[in-house]
Amino acid sequence: MGVPGGGTGSSCGRLVAAAASLVLLIHLICGCASPAAAAAATAGGGGERGAKYKDPKQPLNARVDDLLRRMTLAEKIGQMSQIDQENATAGVISSYFIGSVLRGGGSVPAADAPPEAWVEMVEEIQRAALSTRLGIPAMFGIDAVHGHGYVYKATVFPHNVGLGCTRDPELAKRVGAAVALEVRATGIPFIFAPCLAVCRDPRWGRCYESFSEDPKLVQQMTSIISGFQGEIPASGRRGAPFIAGQRNVAACAKHYVGDGGTTRGINENNTMATFHQLLGIHMPPYYSAVIQGVSTIMVSYSSWNGVKMHANRFLITDFLKNKLRFRGFVISDWLGLDRITSPEHADYPLSVKLGILAGIDMVMIPYQYKEFRDDLTTLVRNGTILMSRIDDAVRRILRVKFILGLFENPYADPSLAGELGKQEHPDLAREAVRKSLVLLKNGKPGDEPLLPLPKKAHVSILVAGSHADDLGSQCGGWTIKWQGLTGNNLTAGTTILDGIKRAVGPAGTNVVYSESPDAGFIERNKARFDYAVVVVGEHPYAETAGDNLNLTIPAPGPAIIRNVCGSIRCVVVLVSGRPLVVEPYLGAVDALVAAWLPGTGGQGVADVLFGDYGFTGKLSRTWFRSVDQLPMNVGDAHYDPLFPFGFGLETQPSIY
């Protein structure tokens, strides 16, 4: 039965038809969508009912093609936009068709938030994304560079510099799988890890995020990607983005390319290298990452021979996408497009043009998403950026979203709620700590080795140093906060002091802790102690703030070493993200251990100190004598290290 006065021959009917035709014409003129998509939009159904892209039985490319042809330009630009969680209101997501959200800058659901609060935060964003015309799910991303470190009570593993010292790709894979489960427990499917930088200068504040100065070792440790994403089956296609299922996450190899080779190790600086040097030193880890099916790759802030990587079409499009045939999507770093110009954000339309034409697909724009949309829309409409470039970007993003399973499973799997911090993960972290420790000295000339330490009745131990009982300093940067925190009230874990007390407790050994004993204390009490454990090192830091041109042990570390080790047999445990100047103290100490940044598993340090396990770690970095030698890497013509790349004394487990 018809509606009175509603026939096509009526004036009202003619107005409706004219309006529909006008909408269709606008879409066609703008190049915003196909005629079918525009017609469907005017019908009010969005074309989604019975659509191929919603059918999981359809081939991947058919789903991507079907969805892409339905999208307007505004919807495509929305998919290319990643905004900060603090700005990701339901209104913003639905109005701007935002395709991705990140947790950055310290935003959390609440202080000490449990997994359930994280899940609710992510799902609120997802509900807004699914309510849009086409219902394209959002992709929430977070930094998880050594565990799900921003989340309270997550397992914090050793930073990559320590994992590199294990020389154990299978261990790295297991760490990756554990991290993926803890991230999924909070409802998050996408992480900005691993860092595949080949750090050539320890003065760089991100050097601890690098597995090694040696590209071959970094290549081996890319096995962590298969832990994050799952192992490609034997019948699967190598080199195509791959994510095994809801127990895995989409990984992000970063920072493409040359970030570890900047002049003097200055963050975001210039890497001077021939193309041959770039291919030989900094590119190899990306070969392995692409073969393992890494889903995304993040572009570096740094420059190569003066050209900003965020604007480098040759390396992003010609080499990565065309030569290496990378099929995932390329993402910018935080405000990466802004930093193409100097000063930052000086000419944003130019930055958008250069970045998108270079081949960046998703843009991390925490704040200025409206400006990005407007500028990119103008650049497409005036022909500066072709629709084919936009479609390439969106096709890559949608491909990863389909592979990630977001269309079928956009919300968290409640069965994974208990994965955060479950006992198997701290146990794995403790194993990783044990295998990462490098023994640099064990005994003075003519003396018996000090390690492993005895744990027996009537032995008295002095434990000293700023880092002996400081969980935050053990974890370093990217833990709860971007730059990290000191203290023991930030998350759950075991300090090195806790580990020592637990290791010797059953034997009845007496442990005395003094954070910073002065010379008077030592003189009065030196006869009491059989030996001392001195734990000192760097304070937490992350990129830029961690750049350091002198690399000395921070105060009061040197004074503690002098006071204690001058009178008592001592082992110094150095907690740091890189080699530091230690030669002035070598004569005074009986044993020296590089503990790197071991994370929340401090008991792993005690396990090896007291001989429950032997030392096996080998240096993943050259240990210099003086900063004047830097940069100095294995294979250099003038190679004169204090401890060479690959060095590490070994001990056997004790039999008690």
Side-chain angles (χ1 to χ4, degrees), residues 330-343:
V330 176
I331 185 170
S332 81
D333 208 333
W334 177 279
L335 297 176
L337 294 194
D338 301 59
R339 300 186 193 188
I340 290 175
T341 60
S342 183

Side-chain angles (χ1 to χ4, degrees), residues 65-410:
D65 290 342
D66 180 63
L67 179 52
L68 190 62
R69 72 177 180 82
R70 298 170 187 273
M71 297 174 70
T72 66
L73 177 59
E75 288 166 330
K76 292 175 181 178
I77 292 174
Q79 287 302 301
M80 296 171 69
S81 305
Q82 184 180 70
I83 68 172
D84 187 78
Q85 174 263 325
E86 289 185 326
N87 302 313
T89 64
V92 167
I93 290 170
S94 59
S95 298
Y96 293 89
F97 309 105
I98 298 299
S100 186
V101 175
L102 82 155
R103 182 274 184 211
S107 54
V108 294
D112 301 342
E116 294 79 9
W118 284 88
V119 168
E120 176 54 33
M121 179 187 74
V122 175
E123 292 192 344
E124 183 179 353
I125 289 167
Q126 196 65 281
R127 286 190 290 270
L130 294 175
S131 71
T132 56
R133 183 178 74 92
L134 294 172
I136 303 173
M139 191 171 172
F140 195 103
I142 194 166
D143 284 293
V145 301
H146 63 145
H148 201 12
Y150 283 149
V151 177
Y152 183 62
K153 290 189 176 180
T155 306
V156 178
F157 292 87
H159 270 292
N160 288 351
V161 64
L163 291 182
C165 293
T166 70
R167 299 293 205 281
D168 190 342
E170 189 61 35
L171 173 65
K173 187 187 300 184
R174 288 191 286 137
V175 168
V179 173
L181 286 170
E182 297 211 357
V183 171
R184 280 291 199 169
T186 58
I188 296 173
F190 177 26
I191 62 171
F192 307 123
C195 178
L196 299 185
V198 181
C199 177
R200 305 291 283 180
D201 194 324
R203 291 175 290 188
W204 185 37
R206 300 193 84 143
C207 206
Y208 62 73
E209 296 183 54
S210 168
F211 290 109
S212 178
E213 69 188 41
D214 176 44
K216 292 180 181 178
L217 180 52
V218 179
Q219 260 190 302
Q220 292 170 10
M221 301 305 284
T222 60
S223 58
I224 198 170
I225 293 170
S226 295
F228 291 144
Q229 298 192 158
E231 192 85 49
I232 299 175
S235 59
R237 179 185 168 193
R238 304 291 289 180
F242 175 81
I243 300 148
Q246 280 194 282
R247 297 174 68 85
N248 299 95
V249 293
C252 181
K254 62 184 189 180
H255 308 85
Y256 185 83
V257 59
D259 53 338
T262 60
T263 302
R264 302 177 75 198
I266 297 172
N267 195 42
E268 304 182 27
N269 203 8
N270 188 35
T271 297
M272 296 293 294
T274 65
F275 186 48
H276 178 74
Q277 290 168 331
L278 193 75
L279 294 183
I281 296 173
H282 300 286
M283 198 67 78
Y286 291 95
Y287 305 153
S288 298
V290 172
I291 289 170
Q292 289 182 74
V294 73
S295 300
T296 74
I297 292 178
M298 184 183 292
V299 180
S300 175
Y301 285 132
S302 59
S303 302
W304 176 48
N305 296 336
V307 178
K308 290 278 190 179
M309 274 304 310
H310 275 75
N312 197 316
R313 178 180 169 83
F314 169 69
L315 287 175
I316 297 174
T317 295
D318 297 345
F319 193 82
L320 178 62
K321 290 184 173 181
N322 297 340
K323 183 75 171 176
L324 299 186
R325 298 186 61 78
F326 173 60
R327 291 292 177 262
F329 68 79
V330 176
I331 185 170
S332 81
D333 208 333
W334 177 279
L335 297 176
L337 294 194
D338 301 59
R339 300 186 193 188
I340 290 175
T341 60
S342 183
E344 185 177 313
H345 202 79
D347 188 342
Y348 196 59
L350 175 65
S351 293
V352 172
K353 180 184 80 169
L354 292 175
I356 301 303
L357 290 178
I360 293 173
D361 304 311
M362 182 179 284
V363 180
M364 201 180 284
I365 38 170
Y367 315 117
Q368 69 275 25
Y369 45 87
K370 182 180 185 300
E371 185 180 7
F372 173 73
R373 181 203 62 181
D374 293 347
D375 287 347
L376 185 51
T377 300
T378 299
L379 289 165
V380 173
R381 287 179 174 168
N382 68 21
T384 301
I385 295 177
L386 299 179
M387 184 61 73
S388 58
R389 168 75 272 267
I390 301 298
D391 286 348
D392 170 64
V394 178
R395 182 182 302 278
R396 290 168 176 275
I397 293 165
L398 294 178
R399 181 184 294 134
V400 171
K401 287 188 174 185
F402 280 117
I403 293 168
L404 193 50
L406 285 178
F407 284 82
E408 286 68 56
N409 299 293

Side-chain angles (χ1 to χ4, degrees), residues 510-534:
N510 182 39
V511 177
V512 176
Y513 172 58
S514 176
E515 180 177 337
S516 185
D518 58 24
F521 174 88
I522 298 299
E523 184 61 30
R524 291 190 303 272
N525 294 279
K526 62 183 180 181
R528 294 175 53 193
F529 301 115
D530 294 272
Y531 55 84
V533 179
V534 176

